[in-house]
Amino acid sequence: MSDSSTAEAEQLVAEATGNGSEADGPRFTLELNQDQKDIKEWVHGFAEGVVRPAAEEWDEREETPWPVIQEAAKIGLYSFEALGQFWADETGLTLPIANEELFWGDAGIGMAIMGTSLAVAAIFGQGTPEQMGEWIPQCFGDADEPKVGAFCASEPDAGSDVSAIRTTAKYDEAKDEWVLNGQKAWATNGGIASVHVVIASVDRELGSRGHAAFVVPPGTKGCEQGAKVKKHGLRASHTADVHLDDCRVPGACLLGGKEKLDERLARVREGKRSKSQAAMQTFEASRPTVGAQALGIARAAYEYSLEYAKERRQFGKAIIENQAIAFALADMKLEIDAARLLVWRAAWMGRNGHKFENAEGSMSKLKAGEVAVWATERAIQILGGNGYTREYPVERMHRDAKIYTIFEGTSEIQRLVISRAISGVHIK
Ligand SMILES: Cc1cc2nc3c(=O)[nH]c(=O)nc-3n(C[C@H](O)[C@H](O)[C@H](O)COP(=O)(O)OP(=O)(O)OC[C@H]3O[C@@H](n4cnc5c(N)ncnc54)[C@H](O)[C@@H]3O)c2cc1C
């Protein structure tokens, strides 16, 4: 094509697609804008310079890496302002991008830093503006004394089946207090958090529609840590049972307020649909972000094994020269990129108010979680004996990846959600 016909063709494409005409609004692009690039680079720098070097130590210690959280707080990465800035991006991509970079550094430490965001998401999603202003800053503390938050939904007999929650919340009208009783299981930051968000049943007969979310303020009597869980992976992140024993919190700690709860319960009792189920709301919103964390682990394992395969020599040549190894790496790259597109789509939809008609949030978390488990296992295989030892990081990445097919809805539950959404049939 001549120069002039190329220009004409470009003009036609621009007219047909609306590109080039500012008035038509933002065009579709996967090119990151400058803010997104800057944040990606900033988080990556922290992940590379601070998180990675500390990963092995805190995995072995199985303790919360407070000094690393403090470093993150000092640079402003561990703060509501940073989370707010990531969230503010109208494309929805900055939050998953930041999570992918941080968890690329290390997932255990990543979760120690990001675990608070589940409690924050619950307060942000369900709280009044006053509740947000009061409790969210207390989830983080400050750079001199960082704090963490915990979100407590699961119980020993209520994991996938959130409707089986037995923890009760009874209203003491005389004192305008809620009294919480029950046992929470596997709570990230459970017992060490300053602020616990607890999902409790105010009416057992209504199942998950009778649930409400409560803030348990720092130092509240009757809220104690139970057994700390020893884990397969994500070991720098604290996980524990939480006991609620006649734990009294002020009436104002009910997220969203009593009037809203009473209205909702009345609607449910009349047989009308209720929009909000306390725990599910939080999980639905956070699924693409959780998927992005899994992606970070998968990418770290892929990059490590790619470099290793170029260096390691057997039979007189680099092992990557064998198709078996090169194709495995090609598939890893392919699956990771495919998972990222699903994560970005769901994040964009969530941020722009598009309903997940086909459970796109679940799709993103399911795919990314399964890719992370599979890719980290492939990475171990590529490293051979070295991959199986704690001298190399890929076995830790594999241990860390496994939780992503379990928490925030197991892979089976995600498939249940997707199959129900696409079929309209109540698949069991
Ligand atoms: C490290 C870690 C951190 C966690 N952090 C938190 C936290 O911060 N807050 C919190 O509230 N919870 C947290 N959890 C709990 C987590 O969300 C639950 O473990 C998860 O929801 C699964 O529940 P479960 O373990 O009871 O498994 P179960 O529900 O007992 O499931 C066992 C198996 O049965 C399958 N299954 C169950 N029902 C069905 C079905 N209907 N159809 C098909 N298959 C089914 C599951 O997919 C799974 O394979 C955490 C867990 C861990 C391990």
Side-chain angles (χ1 to χ4, degrees):
M1 259 203 273
S2 70
D3 277 359
S4 63
S5 57
T6 309
E8 271 171 36
E10 281 173 358
Q11 179 64 27
L12 278 174
V13 171
E15 280 168 13
T17 57
N19 288 357
S21 136
E22 294 293 324
D24 289 337
R27 62 199 168 99
F28 177 78
T29 176
L30 284 173
E31 197 181 341
L32 300 186
N33 63 36
Q34 197 53 47
D35 279 354
Q36 291 164 334
K37 285 182 192 160
D38 290 347
I39 289 176
K40 184 172 192 277
E41 201 179 311
W42 179 52
V43 181
H44 188 83
F46 183 76
E48 191 169 36
V50 181
V51 175
R52 274 226 167 152
E56 187 187 347
E57 177 191 346
W58 294 99
D59 174 62
E60 291 296 338
R61 285 173 66 165
E62 295 191 51
E63 286 170 12
T64 301
W66 287 109
V68 185
I69 297 176
Q70 189 160 30
E71 287 301 308
K74 275 188 193 155
I75 64 159
L77 175 57
Y78 184 68
S79 67
F80 184 50
E81 289 70 29
L83 209 56
Q85 194 192 353
F86 301 160
W87 170 252
D89 171 12
E90 287 174 357
T91 71
L93 300 194
T94 300
L95 197 55
I97 287 170
N99 272 272
E100 180 179 333
E101 294 312 314
L102 187 62
F103 282 67
W104 171 89
D106 178 62
I109 295 177
M111 186 52 70
I113 292 172
M114 282 293 174
T116 296
S117 58
L118 212 53
V120 172
I123 300 170
F124 188 70
Q126 296 171 58
T128 62
E130 295 74 43
Q131 288 170 327
M132 290 180 212
E134 177 160 16
W135 300 115
I136 291 177
Q138 296 197 49
C139 288
F140 290 97
D142 55 39
D144 290 331
E145 208 182 332
K147 306 277 186 201
V148 290
F151 177 76
C152 311
S154 304
E155 298 183 359
D157 293 320
S160 302
D161 182 7
V162 181
S163 68
I165 282 178
R166 300 171 93 90
T167 295
T168 54
K170 295 221 161 17
Y171 187 54
D172 178 345
E173 203 160 356
K175 294 188 173 156
D176 183 27
E177 286 177 346
W178 287 92
V179 189
L180 307 176
N181 275 292
Q183 183 184 341
K184 292 295 177 183
W186 306 295
T188 300
N189 296 333
I192 62 166
S194 60
V195 172
H196 290 77
V197 175
V198 170
I199 305 297
S201 175
V202 288
D203 186 338
R204 289 283 300 279
E205 283 182 10
L206 300 181
S208 53
R209 295 199 157 83
H211 291 172
F214 299 86
V215 164
V216 178
T220 304
K221 247 179 77 189
C223 175
E224 301 288 341
Q225 182 185 313
K228 179 178 168 183
V229 182
K230 286 180 79 70
K231 304 196 297 293
H232 179 62
L234 231 56
R235 301 197 309 177
S237 164
H238 171 101
T239 315
D241 287 354
V242 173
H243 296 283
L244 298 152
D245 196 6
D246 279 334
C247 174
R248 286 181 166 268
V249 299
C253 286
L254 165 65
L255 288 178
K258 184 136 188 329
E259 203 174 311
K260 207 165 151 204
L261 173 71
D262 289 342
E263 274 172 27
R264 176 161 65 84
L265 294 181
R267 269 203 314 275
V268 175
R269 288 185 190 117
E270 280 171 23
K272 292 188 187 148
R273 274 184 70 81
S274 143
K275 284 194 291 205
S276 74
Q277 291 170 32
M280 298 323 279
Q281 261 195 356
T282 303
F283 288 139
E284 200 51 39
S286 59
R287 276 181 185 149
T289 308
V290 175
Q293 297 172 356
L295 268 178
I297 308 173
R299 195 182 105 214
Y302 157 74
E303 288 175 5
Y304 196 93
S305 49
L306 175 62
E307 288 313 307
Y308 186 92
K310 288 184 194 164
E311 295 289 320
R312 174 71 175 167
R313 297 182 73 80
Q314 288 292 281
F315 300 101
K317 59 184 181 192
I319 60 168
I320 199 170
E321 290 178 42
N322 301 293
Q323 275 193 1
I325 301 293
F327 282 13
L329 286 157
D331 284 343
M332 286 160 80
K333 174 73 174 148
L334 169 76
E335 290 291 322
I336 291 166
D337 282 8
R340 185 180 298 105
L341 288 173
L342 287 178
V343 165
W344 283 13
R345 177 180 72 170
W348 172 80
M349 289 177 74
R351 183 65 182 84
N352 287 282
H354 296 282
K355 214 166 157 250
F356 289 150
E357 301 275 1
N358 294 299
E360 287 85 351
S362 292
M363 280 192 210
S364 70
K365 192 265 178 184
L366 169 63
K367 179 69 179 172
E370 297 206 333
V371 165
V373 174
W374 172 82
T376 52
E377 193 272 341
R378 287 289 85 199
I380 294 178
Q381 193 66 21
I382 291 169
L383 266 72
N386 282 335
Y388 196 67
T389 70
R390 295 210 175 175
E391 304 297 311
Y392 289 79
V394 291
E395 69 80 33
R396 184 178 69 246
M397 293 170 187
H398 188 50
R399 286 188 286 109
D400 291 345
K402 184 59 196 155
I403 192 60
Y404 286 87
T405 63
I406 298 174
F407 69 5
E408 298 237 1
T410 64
S411 287
E412 291 76 15
I413 294 300
Q414 308 299 348
R415 287 192 167 85
L416 201 65
V417 174
I418 299 164
S419 57
R420 284 178 183 169
I422 59 170
S423 68
V425 177
H426 193 74
I427 315 280
K428 296 217 171 70

